[in-house]
Amino acid sequence: MNSNAVAVSEPTSIRASFNPLIRPYLVITIGFTMIVTIIGIPVAVVWFLGLGNWWARHYFDRLDCELTAKSIRFRKGILVQVEKTIPLENIQDVTFIEGPLLKHFNLSTLKFETAGASHSAGANMELTGIIDAQEFRNKILAARDHLKQQGGQSGSTATQDSTLAVLQRIESRLEEIITHLKNRP
């Protein structure tokens, strides 16, 4: 799962690989967050003495991200496992984020912005540590565009057929009404 490149596991599925440097990045960012809270300083000491490394190793082992023909699925977590699936048709944009600390660890973050998602509900998703994140981002956007083109071609014909059927029923009812009105005394 955690090889050095984005690998194809089946024709319609691409599994992302995660950079092992996400482990020290997580230990440092979470530890410094604890220190900043001042109350978390005693916990930060335990965190930096080994708990953080243990947690980051197990967290890294459970990271999983897969792009299929219709969705992207992401799974993470140790005690509380989170799995999100976002249909490609709902993805509005995939933002590529690199900051100084991320660059130091040769990491980046992909942020997914979805249609109809409430920002306060946390419906959007962020993935940090994907190897070749720019390439994976491009594959996601290409798969989304391909899905939209397929849906647009088949969907437009189906929509036109159903619209035509509805209009024909309306026309038929209008003719009945006109006939009924003409035959009124």
Side-chain angles (χ1 to χ4, degrees):
M1 176 176 78
N2 295 319
S3 64
N4 289 333
V6 176
V8 177
S9 60
E10 60 185 73
T12 59
S13 176
I14 299 170
R15 188 168 304 278
S17 297
F18 290 87
N19 189 333
L21 290 175
I22 194 171
R23 295 184 306 220
Y25 168 79
L26 291 171
V27 171
I28 290 170
T29 56
I30 293 171
F32 282 127
T33 303
M34 289 178 196
I35 290 171
V36 168
T37 63
I38 302 196
I39 296 172
I41 290 175
V43 179
V45 170
V46 174
W47 181 262
F48 284 120
L49 289 177
L51 179 63
N53 287 326
W54 176 88
W55 179 86
R57 183 178 66 245
H58 285 72
Y59 181 87
F60 178 75
D61 290 342
R62 286 174 176 77
L63 279 175
D64 187 37
C65 180
E66 182 179 19
L67 171 64
T68 65
K70 294 186 179 184
S71 66
I72 184 164
R73 184 185 55 79
F74 177 64
R75 186 174 47 202
K76 66 178 180 177
I78 297 174
L79 295 175
V80 177
Q81 293 188 1
V82 176
E83 184 171 331
K84 281 191 174 186
T85 302
I86 298 177
L88 291 177
E89 63 213 20
N90 290 355
I91 294 177
Q92 295 294 312
D93 189 29
V94 182
T95 305
F96 182 81
I97 302 168
E98 274 187 328
L101 188 58
L102 286 167
K103 275 188 175 184
H104 176 74
F105 287 99
N106 197 26
L107 299 172
S108 58
T109 299
L110 294 179
K111 181 179 178 183
F112 297 84
E113 297 171 18
T114 58
S118 168
H119 294 290
S120 62
N124 292 335
M125 177 171 64
E126 290 187 10
L127 300 176
T128 300
I130 292 179
I131 294 174
D132 296 326
Q134 282 280 24
E135 181 184 336
F136 193 67
R137 175 187 181 268
N138 293 339
K139 288 180 180 182
I140 292 167
L141 295 174
R144 178 201 63 185
D145 294 344
H146 179 72
L147 183 65
K148 284 185 177 182
Q149 286 176 351
Q150 282 183 330
Q153 292 169 354
S154 63
S156 64
T157 304
T159 303
Q160 289 173 355
D161 290 346
S162 65
T163 302
L164 182 60
V166 169
L167 289 173
Q168 287 172 339
R169 286 196 305 268
I170 291 171
E171 180 183 35
S172 172
R173 287 297 256 167
L174 285 173
E175 288 174 359
E176 289 175 19
I177 292 170
I178 291 170
T179 304
H180 180 69
L181 288 172
K182 285 184 179 177
N183 293 335
R184 273 178 71 180

